[in-house]
């Protein structure tokens, strides 16, 4: 039956509507809602004999073309139009954005750093450190000591913004550099930071022997020197759990590096000579702070774990007070505090006397995407970490089991639907033979159908609800297992598990030559409503000086060494995320 063009008068306006005689009054009201903004439940449509009801068959109205109906009612918003709300932010197209806005847009390629003459070691170090969001936040609030001299405003456009007020302040130069990098997608010249680095540590100002640019340097040395300088300058307020310790020490603020990137280690120095022990020589105990753990590489080192364990045991020759002569000692170390960000250094370079330079150990040493550092810790710290670590693994296994069960159910459901559509069972040949044998024994007809038990299949929504409920309970159980002492230590690792977030690589045969690059794992997109990061896509940014490209995770697995090609030199691990008090409703 063809639609009938009618008119509806509402608040002095005539609206033309196509009335479908095969539909109901409810459908007609929703048509009017799209025109007037008046919700169906607030409408009064007058027809012959009364008001139009939702279940009225429109064919009974016997409407004619051009017939006018009267409608009364107003929308809940108080005006005659549908209130779709004003966008919170004005939509802006890429071509209308400034360079800084484009750089901050979701999915934008980050800025690279120009090579200023064998400065790839510095560029790679800076890009990897930039992957620590807490560092950028702390630097943004850093105030350097006032100095006399011109303002830095005139130098900013050339990357020299720090020269005016903070030319000698490495932390201020790093702060300014990261801010400038966040406002562009082009390769940026880190001139001011290089100047500050060379002023603070003159070794990096050495010129190349061929007269072209600066001499190549070791990225590990740059990493260590930069962190050691920032450690002294960049202070942050103590968290609630640290206030008591701060009060005891008389310190109001703590070092950012000590909180997030520095760990603590306990060592025991024992004499290897039994005569010294028999003579009463006691073991020496010591406590130190570390900014990185070393992975020593020998002919037996195949995996990161092997080299890290080797790095925690050291042979030292010194004089024994009991024996009154030099003898060998063994220094055994274990970690007593794991930082949120753990730096691991592959000791690939060593001084080779024959050639008079640092040679490179080419051996392939694999490293994991997730590092379990519990093995490297003291017994007391292990007791605090193991319950949380094991619970994390249990939760992951449960999630994997649920996902597998979900896939099996979907497959079974699909097969059942196909069998039902075909009107017969899709059994394998062996199963068919078995069924035939059963039928013969029971005297049944060979075409007798196999009786299948009724199966209840869960919808995706039911599975998601079940998963969310289980995950909520598991998170609460995991949160309750976190040691109270570790919970108060804001920048520590509370599970012993780390995920790889960045690495610096070296290509070449010696530390004094070759080329450095860095890889940083991409973060998930930021949800503007919740302020939280969405799930990551698993890809990485490859920073090759001013060239920045996106690469797959498979590339990272090829950086274990084994030749002069790119091999990992520094790894930056971050503690895995654990549920917070807010997430579990504490």
């Amino acid at each position: 039956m063809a639609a009938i063009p009618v008119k509806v008068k509402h608040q002095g306006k005539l609206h033309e509507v196509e009335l479908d005689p095969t539909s109901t009054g409810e459908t007609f009201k929703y048509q009017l809602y799209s025109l007037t903004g008046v919700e169906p439940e607030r409408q009064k449509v007058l027809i012959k004999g009364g008001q139009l009801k939702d279940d009225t068959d429109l064919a009974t109205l016997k409407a004619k073309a051009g017939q006018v109906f009267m409608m009364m009612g107003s929308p809940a918003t108080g005006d005659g139009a549908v209130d779709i709300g004003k966008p919170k932010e004005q939509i802006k197209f890429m071509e209308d954005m400034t360079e800084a806005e484009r750089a901050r847009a979701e999915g934008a390629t980050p800025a690279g750093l120009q090579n200023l003459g064998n400065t790839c070691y510095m560029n790679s170090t800076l890009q990897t450190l930039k992957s620590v969001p807490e560092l950028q936040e702390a630097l943004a609030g850093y105030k350097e000591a006032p100095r006399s001299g011109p303002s830095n405003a005139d130098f900013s456009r050339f990357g020299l913004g720090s020269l005016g007020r903070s030319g000698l302040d490495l932390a201020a130069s790093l702060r300014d550099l990261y801010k400038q990098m966040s406002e562009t997608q082009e390769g940026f010249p880190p001139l001011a930071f290089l100047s500050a680095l060379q002023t603070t540590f003159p070794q990096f100002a050495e010129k190349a022997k061929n007269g072209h640019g600066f001499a190549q340097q070791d990225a590990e040395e740059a990493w260590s020197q930069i962190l050691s300088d920032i450690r002294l300058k960049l202070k942050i307020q103590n968290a609630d759990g640290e206030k008591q310790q701060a009060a005891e020490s008389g310190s109001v603020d703590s070092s950012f590096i000590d909180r997030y990137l520095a760990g603590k280690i306990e060592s025991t120095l024992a004499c290897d000579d039994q005569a010294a022990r028999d003579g009463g020589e006691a073991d020496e105990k010591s406590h130190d702070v570390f900014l990185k753990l070393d992975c020593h590489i020998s002919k037996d080192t195949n995996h990161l774990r092997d080299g890290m364990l080797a790095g925690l045991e050291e042979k030292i020759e010194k004089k024994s007070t009991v024996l009154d002569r030099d003898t060998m000692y063994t220094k055994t170390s274990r970690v007593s505090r794991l930082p949120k960000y753990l730096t691991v250094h592959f000791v690939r370079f060593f001084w080779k006397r024959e050639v008079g330079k640092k040679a490179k150990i080419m051996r392939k040493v694999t490293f994991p995407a997730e590092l379990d550092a519990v093995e490297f810790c003291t017994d007391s710290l292990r007791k605090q970490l193991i319950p949380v670590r094991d619970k994390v693994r249990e939760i992951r296994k449960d999630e994997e089991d649920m996902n597998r069960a979900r896939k099996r159910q979907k497959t079974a459901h699909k097969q059942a639907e196909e069998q039902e559509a075909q009107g017969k069972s899709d059994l394998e040949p062996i199963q068919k033979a078995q069924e035939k044998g059963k039928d013969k024994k029971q005297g049944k007809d060979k075409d007798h159908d196999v009786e299948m038990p009724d199966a209840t299949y869960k919808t995706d929504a039911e599975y998601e609800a079940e998963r969310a409920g289980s995950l909520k309970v598991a998170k609460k159980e995991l949160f309750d297992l976190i040691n109270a002492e570790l919970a108060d230590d804001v920048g520590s690792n509370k599970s012993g598990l780390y995920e790889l977030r960045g690495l610096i690589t070296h290509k070449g045969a010696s530390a004094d030559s070759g080329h450095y690059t860095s890889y940083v794992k991409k973060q998930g997109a930021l949800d503007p409503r919740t302020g939280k990061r969405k799930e990551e896509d698993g890809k990485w940014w490859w920073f090759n000086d001013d060239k920045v490209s996106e690469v797959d995770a498979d590339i990272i697995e090829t950086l274990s060494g084994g030749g002069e090609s790119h091999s990992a030199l520094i790894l930056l691990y971050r503690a895995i995320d654990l549920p917070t008090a807010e997430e579990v409703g504490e």
Side-chain angles (χ1 to χ4, degrees):
M1 194 178 294
I4 304 170
V6 298
K7 296 180 180 180
V8 177
K9 189 173 183 179
H10 175 249
Q11 294 183 352
K13 295 182 180 179
L14 277 178
H15 300 279
E16 295 183 354
V17 187
E18 293 285 334
L19 186 147
D20 183 1
T22 62
S23 61
T24 63
E26 185 179 26
T27 302
F28 189 62
K29 286 183 178 181
Y30 272 102
Q31 288 179 268
L32 299 179
Y33 173 49
S34 66
L35 295 171
T36 65
V38 180
E39 295 82 354
E41 64 272 14
R42 297 175 64 87
Q43 295 177 17
K44 290 184 179 180
V45 181
L46 304 181
I47 59 174
K48 187 176 181 180
Q51 295 183 23
L52 179 66
K53 296 181 179 180
D54 289 348
D55 58 355
T56 300
D57 186 350
L58 296 185
T60 62
L61 300 181
K62 298 180 180 179
K64 297 179 181 179
Q67 184 175 342
V68 178
F69 293 91
M70 180 69 71
M71 187 190 106
M72 301 172 63
S74 59
T77 54
D79 54 34
V82 179
D83 183 14
I84 60 175
K86 184 179 179 180
K88 293 182 179 180
E89 295 185 5
Q90 184 179 0
I91 298 175
K92 194 175 249 188
F93 296 99
M94 291 295 289
E95 55 267 25
D96 299 326
M97 292 182 179
T98 63
E99 183 180 5
E101 289 173 333
R102 287 195 296 272
R104 297 191 183 103
E106 196 62 57
T109 301
L113 291 170
Q114 294 180 18
N115 193 315
L116 305 178
N118 290 329
T119 58
C120 56
Y121 71 93
M122 180 188 75
N123 293 346
S124 301
T125 299
L126 295 176
Q127 293 286 15
T128 307
L129 284 174
K130 190 172 179 286
S131 68
V132 180
E134 294 91 344
L135 176 59
Q136 294 196 59
E137 182 180 348
L139 284 171
Y142 175 71
K143 303 294 183 183
E144 68 273 28
R147 298 176 65 249
S148 59
S151 169
N152 65 347
D154 297 333
F155 302 100
S156 295
R157 56 182 298 193
F158 302 109
L160 302 172
S162 306
L163 290 184
R165 292 182 291 111
S166 51
L168 299 178
D169 193 321
L170 203 63
S173 298
L174 187 60
R175 174 202 62 201
D176 296 343
L177 175 62
Y178 283 164
K179 181 178 184 298
Q180 291 158 343
M181 290 173 66
S182 70
E183 297 174 349
T184 183
Q185 289 183 280
E186 303 297 326
F188 190 83
L191 295 168
F193 184 84
L194 178 62
S195 175
L197 180 66
Q198 293 175 338
T199 302
T200 307
F201 303 105
Q203 69 192 78
F204 298 111
E206 181 185 352
K207 296 291 185 179
K209 294 180 180 179
N210 59 11
H212 299 292
F214 300 101
Q216 179 67 285
Q217 302 285 346
D218 188 342
E220 184 277 324
E221 292 181 4
W223 179 283
S224 298
Q225 297 285 40
I226 291 171
L227 288 190
S228 64
D229 185 83
I230 295 177
R231 184 187 179 202
L232 300 175
K233 297 175 181 176
L234 190 58
K235 305 292 183 178
I236 51 179
Q237 289 186 348
N238 288 310
D240 292 339
E242 300 168 318
K243 287 182 178 178
Q244 183 176 355
Q245 298 177 358
E248 294 173 356
S249 64
S251 173
V252 178
D253 299 329
S254 60
S255 165
F256 171 87
I257 299 298
D258 283 349
R259 178 181 292 183
Y260 289 103
L261 284 103
K264 295 179 181 178
I265 204 162
E266 294 180 3
S267 302
T268 301
L269 185 65
C271 184
D272 295 346
D273 197 318
Q274 188 61 41
R277 291 179 171 278
D278 295 340
E281 183 167 335
D283 296 343
E284 297 180 19
K285 304 286 185 180
S286 61
H287 302 267
D288 296 293
V289 173
F290 69 87
L291 298 180
K292 59 181 176 63
L293 292 179
D294 287 332
C295 173
H296 288 274
I297 303 175
S298 68
K299 61 181 179 61
D300 300 320
T301 307
N302 297 311
H303 187 68
L304 180 70
R305 170 187 173 275
D306 306 328
M308 291 182 69
L309 286 174
L312 292 173
E313 189 167 308
E314 182 182 2
K315 291 291 184 181
I316 298 174
E317 184 178 6
K318 75 183 200 77
K319 185 176 182 178
S320 168
T321 55
V322 173
L323 302 177
D324 195 29
R325 59 177 172 81
D326 288 345
T327 187
M328 296 304 299
Y329 287 76
T330 299
K331 182 179 182 181
T332 304
S333 302
R334 287 295 179 266
V335 177
S336 58
R337 180 192 187 263
L338 285 171
K340 181 174 182 178
Y341 292 90
L342 177 67
T343 303
V344 181
H345 168 226
F346 286 98
V347 186
R348 288 194 174 276
F349 299 129
F350 68 99
W351 183 257
K352 198 168 185 178
R353 294 182 180 179
E354 303 90 278
V355 293
K357 63 180 181 179
K358 284 185 178 180
K360 182 179 179 181
I361 300 174
M362 305 291 187
R363 186 175 181 81
K364 179 178 180 179
V365 181
T366 60
F367 52 89
E370 181 175 277
L371 174 67
D372 182 356
V374 173
E375 186 178 8
F376 314 126
C377 299
T378 60
D379 291 339
S380 59
L381 182 56
R382 286 186 193 182
K383 292 178 181 178
Q384 296 174 333
L385 298 173
I386 288 176
V388 181
R389 180 200 65 183
D390 291 349
K391 186 62 178 179
V392 169
R393 290 175 172 172
E394 178 186 323
I395 293 173
R396 290 175 177 175
K397 183 179 182 302
D398 290 345
E399 282 195 287
E400 290 174 359
D401 291 343
M402 287 187 68
N403 289 334
R404 282 196 292 265
R406 185 174 182 177
K407 290 178 180 178
R408 285 196 300 266
Q409 187 220 237
K410 285 187 173 183
T411 302
H413 192 190
K414 183 179 180 182
Q415 290 175 347
E417 289 179 337
E418 291 175 351
Q419 290 174 3
E420 185 178 353
Q422 294 171 0
K424 60 181 180 179
S425 297
D426 187 15
L427 299 173
E428 295 294 330
I430 295 177
Q431 292 176 309
K432 288 182 177 180
Q434 292 174 346
E435 291 299 329
K436 287 180 181 179
K438 290 179 181 179
D439 289 345
K440 287 180 180 179
K441 289 180 181 179
Q442 298 173 8
K444 296 181 181 179
D445 185 82
K446 66 177 182 180
D447 295 327
H448 180 69
D449 289 337
V450 178
E451 185 177 349
M452 300 294 290
D454 293 335
T456 301
Y457 297 107
K458 297 178 183 178
T459 64
D460 286 347
E462 289 173 332
Y463 253 112
E464 283 301 322
E466 182 180 334
R467 177 181 175 276
S470 299
L471 190 58
K472 184 176 181 180
V473 173
K475 280 186 174 182
K476 178 65 169 63
E477 294 174 350
L478 178 59
F479 179 80
D480 292 340
L481 287 172
I482 298 175
N483 179 269
E485 182 182 341
L486 293 181
D488 289 339
D489 190 350
V490 178
S492 69
N493 184 324
K494 300 161 182 59
S495 69
L497 296 176
Y498 286 96
E499 58 174 329
L500 185 63
R501 300 303 302 185
L503 62 158
I504 298 174
T505 66
H506 178 266
K507 180 180 180 180
S510 73
D512 301 326
S513 61
H515 183 59
Y516 290 94
T517 67
S518 62
Y519 293 80
V520 172
K521 194 170 187 180
K522 288 180 61 180
Q523 289 184 309
L526 190 65
D527 190 331
R529 295 176 301 171
T530 63
K532 296 182 179 180
R533 294 278 176 185
K534 298 180 182 178
E535 188 175 353
E536 297 177 345
D537 61 9
K539 295 185 180 296
W540 291 67
W541 291 119
W542 180 30
F543 295 95
N544 185 5
D545 287 331
D546 57 337
K547 300 179 183 64
V548 183
S549 54
E550 184 182 88
V551 298
D552 293 327
D554 296 343
I555 297 295
I556 306 302
E557 298 176 3
T558 68
L559 304 175
S560 301
E564 293 190 18
S565 60
H566 281 288
S567 54
L569 181 71
I570 291 177
L571 305 176
L572 180 63
Y573 283 97
R574 185 184 70 188
I576 65 167
D577 292 329
L578 294 176
T580 62
E582 293 77 12
E583 291 177 343
V584 299
E586 290 287 326

